[in-house]
Amino acid sequence: MEALEQQFVQAIGEVPVAGADGGLAQYHIEVIGDAAELARIKPEWDELLAKSGIDHPFLSHEWITSWWECFGSGKTLHVLLARSGRVLTGIAPLMRGERKLYGMRASCLEALYNPHTPRFDFIVVPAESEAVYHGLWNHLRGDASWDFLELSQLRADSPTLASLARLARRDGCATGVWHGEHSPYIPFNGTFEAFFSRLGNNQRSELRRRMKRLQERGSVRLEEVTEAAQIDAALNEGFRIEAAAWKAHTATAISSAPEVEAFYRAFARRAAATGMLRLIFLTVGGRRIAFAYALQYCKKLYALKTGYDPEYSYYSPYNLLCYLVYQNGFERGLDEYEFLGSNEAWKLVWTKLTRRHDWLYVFARRPRARLLYLIKFRWMPLLQRQPCYRHLRDLLYPKGKARLGVRDGERVPSDRN
């Protein structure tokens, strides 16, 4: 115990290193605090996103706006805009909130994140990234209102992860990284025939057998809905299919919560207007039996929500939908398919390639924040290695009690698909 107390005293007493910017250009930081201001900057946001090289749709203005409308209750919007003169060169989509963490009240700045957010990052022009990150961090460092900063679902190779951690440590702030989901993906290089030949013999024969059996019940085809006029009806059918199997019983279906369904509907309408929405169905004899709520962005296909009709489970309808989607992706010259979510066994039969996502935590130079850092990244890892930890966790979070989004300790990642 004395060693832990000494560790805490040493952490409190760390001396900050001077935060010299090395002659980097100064950036003016503007704070966006409400939905009206967020709507106003859409043209600039879209232009910066196009310049940033970000290849996923989860930082698009359409996504951020829909997310905030449906999930922002209880939080305060706090989007940082970095400008060089009048030119927008960086965006940090953040929000303010308060949490009870390990029994203590703490103020936080955090990503616009919940279990429906597959990926997050800052939007930065690569050519000016060093200066932009300095400008954003200098603003954050001068804000005394937060105890910790939490950036969720960053790709492990994100420049934001490396730059913010380095700058924070330079100025004496404690940092920690929590390793999250490994999300599988399939590169569409070469030909579909070559890709299919690399699958296991059993998988190939099962796909052929199930497809043949399903074709005996009617014509099998892939249907893709993208037109705005057809979206509402297609979503009704897609949400019905998505909830038809196990998701309705575990309350993870889109239709299980009004705000979740509102989000996927609002975003679908905005995504359709930009041309990125893909509502994909597997049909047999004209009947829809499997569904994927997908997005096409930068020649990549992202699967957000999926499901199948359990009446057809014998035929493995979602695997057949995947088979036809991959074939179609190769034929259309797409670059990649992203499963999103975690690396479950059914996904890994298609590919062994995954992308890791990390969570960055930065703690302010105050006693309470330092104590939170020590609990989360020093003491809790020690406790979790003890035989009694599992018993203690089960007492705090009994079976049957939802553990998703647990704040008072490590979060439990969700399977968004």
Side-chain angles (χ1 to χ4, degrees), residues 401-416:
K401 179 180 179 181
R403 297 180 60 208
L404 186 64
V406 167
R407 300 284 193 175
D408 210 351
E410 297 295 349
R411 294 195 191 211
V412 181
S414 66
D415 172 25
R416 277 176 285 276

Side-chain angles (χ1 to χ4, degrees), residues 240-246 249 287 289-290 307-315 317:
R240 181 193 65 78
I241 294 171
E242 193 253 355
W246 55 271
H249 303 296
R287 178 173 177 174
I289 64 170
Y308 64 91
D309 186 336
E311 182 182 331
Y312 290 81
S313 59
Y314 169 78
Y315 304 96

Side-chain angles (χ1 to χ4, degrees), residues 158-291:
S158 165
T160 302
L161 179 64
S163 296
L164 263 292
R166 173 176 53 81
L167 291 168
R169 288 193 296 266
R170 178 203 69 178
D171 289 340
C173 293
T175 67
V177 174
W178 182 73
H179 300 308
E181 296 172 334
H182 291 248
S183 298
Y185 68 97
I186 299 173
F188 288 159
N189 46 30
T191 65
F192 175 75
E193 289 71 23
F195 162 75
F196 190 67
S197 69
R198 291 192 293 269
L199 301 177
N201 291 333
N202 287 343
Q203 186 183 5
R204 295 201 306 272
S205 63
E206 276 297 296
L207 284 167
R208 292 189 184 106
R209 184 178 69 83
R210 291 177 189 275
M211 179 66 80
K212 183 178 179 181
R213 290 290 179 88
L214 186 59
Q215 287 172 336
E216 292 172 359
R217 298 192 59 166
S219 175
V220 176
R221 72 182 188 92
L222 208 60
E223 177 190 4
E224 193 173 89
V225 177
T226 61
E227 297 298 323
Q230 303 173 22
I231 286 174
D232 286 339
L235 286 175
N236 290 340
E237 186 72 357
F239 293 169
R240 181 193 65 78
I241 294 171
E242 193 253 355
W246 55 271
K247 292 185 181 182
H249 303 296
T250 57
T252 58
I254 291 173
S255 57
S256 296
E259 68 276 12
V260 174
E261 182 169 343
F263 167 71
Y264 283 100
R265 287 187 183 277
F267 179 67
R269 288 189 285 271
R270 291 185 170 111
T274 69
M276 70 172 111
L277 182 68
R278 301 288 185 275
L279 302 178
I280 304 171
F281 294 91
L282 179 72
T283 69
V284 56
R287 178 173 177 174
R288 293 165 169 170
I289 64 170
F291 168 69

Side-chain angles (χ1 to χ4, degrees), residues 52-366:
S52 71
I54 289 171
D55 61 358
H56 62 82
F58 310 116
L59 289 165
S60 65
H61 193 271
E62 290 79 14
W63 178 276
I64 295 294
T65 300
S66 300
W67 193 99
W68 181 250
E69 286 176 355
C70 299
F71 299 127
S73 177
K75 304 287 185 177
T76 301
L77 193 65
H78 195 78
V79 177
L80 304 182
L81 309 181
R83 296 186 183 276
S84 177
R86 294 185 177 181
V87 179
L88 183 63
T89 55
I91 301 175
L94 301 174
M95 59 186 178
R96 290 186 179 277
E98 282 199 357
R99 297 195 203 156
K100 190 175 183 181
L101 199 63
Y102 304 109
M104 292 182 287
R105 275 286 175 194
S107 298
C108 62
L109 275 176
E110 57 187 314
L112 268 67
Y113 170 86
N114 69 359
H116 299 278
T117 308
R119 194 165 292 161
F120 177 80
D121 214 322
F122 288 0
I123 307 170
V124 175
V125 176
E128 302 182 46
S129 61
E130 185 178 2
V132 173
Y133 284 123
H134 271 81
L136 289 169
W137 169 248
N138 286 342
H139 176 85
L140 291 168
R141 181 186 60 185
D143 181 351
S145 65
W146 55 274
D147 293 310
F148 68 96
L149 171 70
E150 180 187 76
L151 302 184
S152 315
Q153 288 295 106
L154 297 164
R155 271 181 46 165
D157 59 356
S158 165
T160 302
L161 179 64
S163 296
L164 263 292
R166 173 176 53 81
L167 291 168
R169 288 193 296 266
R170 178 203 69 178
D171 289 340
C173 293
T175 67
V177 174
W178 182 73
H179 300 308
E181 296 172 334
H182 291 248
S183 298
Y185 68 97
I186 299 173
F188 288 159
N189 46 30
T191 65
F192 175 75
E193 289 71 23
F195 162 75
F196 190 67
S197 69
R198 291 192 293 269
L199 301 177
N201 291 333
N202 287 343
Q203 186 183 5
R204 295 201 306 272
S205 63
E206 276 297 296
L207 284 167
R208 292 189 184 106
R209 184 178 69 83
R210 291 177 189 275
M211 179 66 80
K212 183 178 179 181
R213 290 290 179 88
L214 186 59
Q215 287 172 336
E216 292 172 359
R217 298 192 59 166
S219 175
V220 176
R221 72 182 188 92
L222 208 60
E223 177 190 4
E224 193 173 89
V225 177
T226 61
E227 297 298 323
Q230 303 173 22
I231 286 174
D232 286 339
L235 286 175
N236 290 340
E237 186 72 357
F239 293 169
R240 181 193 65 78
I241 294 171
E242 193 253 355
W246 55 271
K247 292 185 181 182
H249 303 296
T250 57
T252 58
I254 291 173
S255 57
S256 296
E259 68 276 12
V260 174
E261 182 169 343
F263 167 71
Y264 283 100
R265 287 187 183 277
F267 179 67
R269 288 189 285 271
R270 291 185 170 111
T274 69
M276 70 172 111
L277 182 68
R278 301 288 185 275
L279 302 178
I280 304 171
F281 294 91
L282 179 72
T283 69
V284 56
R287 178 173 177 174
R288 293 165 169 170
I289 64 170
F291 168 69
Y293 184 123
L295 306 171
Q296 185 175 314
Y297 190 86
C298 291
K299 297 188 72 176
K300 297 184 178 185
L301 196 63
Y302 295 84
L304 271 171
K305 283 289 186 180
T306 64
Y308 64 91
D309 186 336
E311 182 182 331
Y312 290 81
S313 59
Y314 169 78
Y315 304 96
S316 191
Y318 193 74
N319 271 321
L320 294 181
L321 180 146
C322 287
Y323 169 79
L324 295 176
V325 164
Y326 305 155
Q327 186 177 44
N328 184 258
F330 275 95
E331 290 172 355
R332 289 162 53 191
L334 297 183
D335 292 338
E336 195 171 280
Y337 178 91
E338 289 229 26
F339 286 93
L340 304 175
S342 57
N343 55 344
E344 298 152 289
W346 76 267
K347 300 175 186 177
L348 295 178
V349 300
W350 292 104
T351 180
K352 303 303 180 190
L353 299 175
T354 63
R355 289 193 172 97
R356 195 183 79 204
H357 295 81
D358 289 340
W359 296 42
L360 173 66
Y361 292 83
V362 178
F363 296 84
R365 297 193 70 258
R366 287 191 293 279

